[in-house]
């Protein structure tokens, strides 16, 4: 077993599970292998069993570890993929710039539109149309509510595409997209009506099964809302 560093007293719980993730990534414990018990880990990390227990519970919830009753705790078969997902999300949260976020949104949501155009039924699109109607019927004074409805529009398209991984990726940037949407509140009233009709234009293109036009409108919709650097 590689050298385990005694966990710092600050944020012990995070310190422990981060080291456990690193050890799984490095192959100390491979997928399907059993990890040491709570007592052994507590001794190595020089922390309480309760701290170890909470750290292990977090990794179980993240699908990195699994508990087999009567046998102990094991690394899951897809642990490395789950860790990669975790690291991607952490990178997005900690270091993504606005331009990086825009690039990811355009790439991801363009793929979603391609799948929606190919797979969506008119009944599913009709449900999205109801969301768009709510958005259009609200005025500038209700822009907080409009932004929430706008989020539902993009989420609804992601769900229609039917790809669970795509939905996870879409959800992984939600915090950053929400922060970007907060900037939309500064849009002047005379620009607001144009903003609230853009989703309808995208949806109309999807109804016509015109993926190219829908993606052009999507890119314009995203880029037009980028805060000015001036």
């Amino acid at each position: 077993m590689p050298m385990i560093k005694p966990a710092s007293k600050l944020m012990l719980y995070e310190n422990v599970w981060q080291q456990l993730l690193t050890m799984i990534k490095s192959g100390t414990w491979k997928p399907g292998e059993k990890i040491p018990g709570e007592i052994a880990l507590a001794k190595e990390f020089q922390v309480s069993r309760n701290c170890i227990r909470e750290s292990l519970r977090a990794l179980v919830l993240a699908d990195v570890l699994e508990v087999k009753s009567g046998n102990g705790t094991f690394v899951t078969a897809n642990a490395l993929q789950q860790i990669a997902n975790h690291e991607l999300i952490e990178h997005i949260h900690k270091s993504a710039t606005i331009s990086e976020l825009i690039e990811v949104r355009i790439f991801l949501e363009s793929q979603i539109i391609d799948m929606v155009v190919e797979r969506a039924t008119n009944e599913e699109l009709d449900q999205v149309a109801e969301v768009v109607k709510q958005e259009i019927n609200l005025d500038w004074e209700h822009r907080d509510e409009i932004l929430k409805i706008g989020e539902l529009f993009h989420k609804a398209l992601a769900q229609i595409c039917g790809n669970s991984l795509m939905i996870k990726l879409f959800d992984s940037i939600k915090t950053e997209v929400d922060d970007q949407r907060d900037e939309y509140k500064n849009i002047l009233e005379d620009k607001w009506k144009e903003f609230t009709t853009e989703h309808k234009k995208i949806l109309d293109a999807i109804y016509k099964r015109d993926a190219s036009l829908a993606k052009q409108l999507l890119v314009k919709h995203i880029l037009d809302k980028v805060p000015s650097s001036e």
Side-chain angles (χ1 to χ4, degrees):
M1 179 183 298
M3 181 69 68
I4 294 177
K5 302 175 184 177
S8 65
K9 295 186 182 300
L10 181 63
M11 300 183 69
L12 285 175
Y13 157 80
E14 181 177 353
N15 188 304
V16 169
W17 68 255
Q18 286 285 6
Q19 287 198 59
L20 290 172
L21 283 178
T22 298
M23 295 175 76
I24 293 169
K25 275 180 58 182
S26 68
T28 301
W29 306 306
K30 296 180 174 58
E33 289 186 353
K34 182 178 179 179
I35 70 170
E38 290 179 7
I39 295 175
L41 288 174
K43 182 178 180 180
E44 291 288 342
F45 282 104
Q46 300 178 27
V47 298
S48 68
R49 287 184 63 185
N50 185 60
C51 179
I52 294 295
R53 189 176 298 118
E54 290 301 314
S55 300
L56 295 179
R57 184 176 296 139
L59 295 180
V60 169
L61 290 173
D63 199 27
V64 173
L65 297 175
E66 60 181 338
V67 178
K68 296 183 180 180
S69 182
N71 291 320
T73 304
F74 294 76
V75 180
T76 61
N78 62 338
L80 296 179
Q81 181 61 56
Q82 293 300 331
I83 292 172
N85 292 343
H86 165 78
E87 290 177 340
L88 171 63
I89 294 170
E90 283 294 302
H91 172 75
I92 289 170
H93 290 341
K94 291 181 179 179
S95 55
T97 64
I98 289 179
S99 62
E100 289 173 332
L101 175 62
I102 295 302
E103 289 175 355
V104 170
R105 280 198 68 189
I106 290 174
F107 174 79
L108 186 60
E109 296 196 47
S110 293
Q111 299 302 310
I112 287 173
I113 283 180
D114 278 333
M115 288 188 281
V116 170
V117 166
E118 180 181 343
R119 303 174 184 178
T121 65
N122 283 340
E123 289 74 17
E124 289 174 321
L125 296 182
D126 288 344
Q127 293 177 10
V128 181
E130 290 301 316
V131 173
V132 172
K133 286 180 183 177
Q134 294 178 49
E135 181 181 39
I136 292 176
N137 289 334
L138 292 172
D139 56 26
W140 188 68
E141 287 76 13
H142 298 92
R143 53 193 179 277
D144 283 343
E145 187 174 351
I146 291 174
L147 291 177
K148 291 179 182 177
I149 295 174
E151 178 184 347
L152 291 178
F153 171 82
H154 292 273
K155 178 71 173 180
L157 293 182
Q159 290 175 331
I160 289 174
C161 81
N163 184 306
S164 61
L165 182 57
M166 190 71 76
I167 295 171
K168 286 182 180 179
L169 290 171
F170 179 85
D171 287 341
S172 74
I173 61 173
K174 181 181 184 303
T175 299
E176 286 67 31
V177 173
D178 286 347
D179 289 342
Q180 182 194 356
R181 284 196 179 102
D182 282 340
E183 296 292 332
Y184 298 176
K185 297 175 185 178
N186 299 321
I187 296 175
L188 297 178
E189 185 172 1
D190 61 351
K191 293 282 187 179
W192 194 255
K193 196 63 179 177
E194 177 185 351
F195 170 67
T196 58
T197 58
E198 289 179 352
H199 288 153
K200 184 179 185 302
K201 293 177 181 177
I202 295 170
L203 183 60
D204 287 344
I206 294 174
Y207 265 119
K208 297 174 182 176
R209 309 296 167 172
D210 189 338
S212 178
L213 176 58
K215 287 188 288 187
Q216 289 177 30
L217 293 168
L218 170 74
V219 171
K220 180 178 184 300
H221 171 66
I222 294 175
L223 291 179
D224 282 354
K225 308 306 175 298
V226 178
S228 172
S229 58
E230 296 180 359

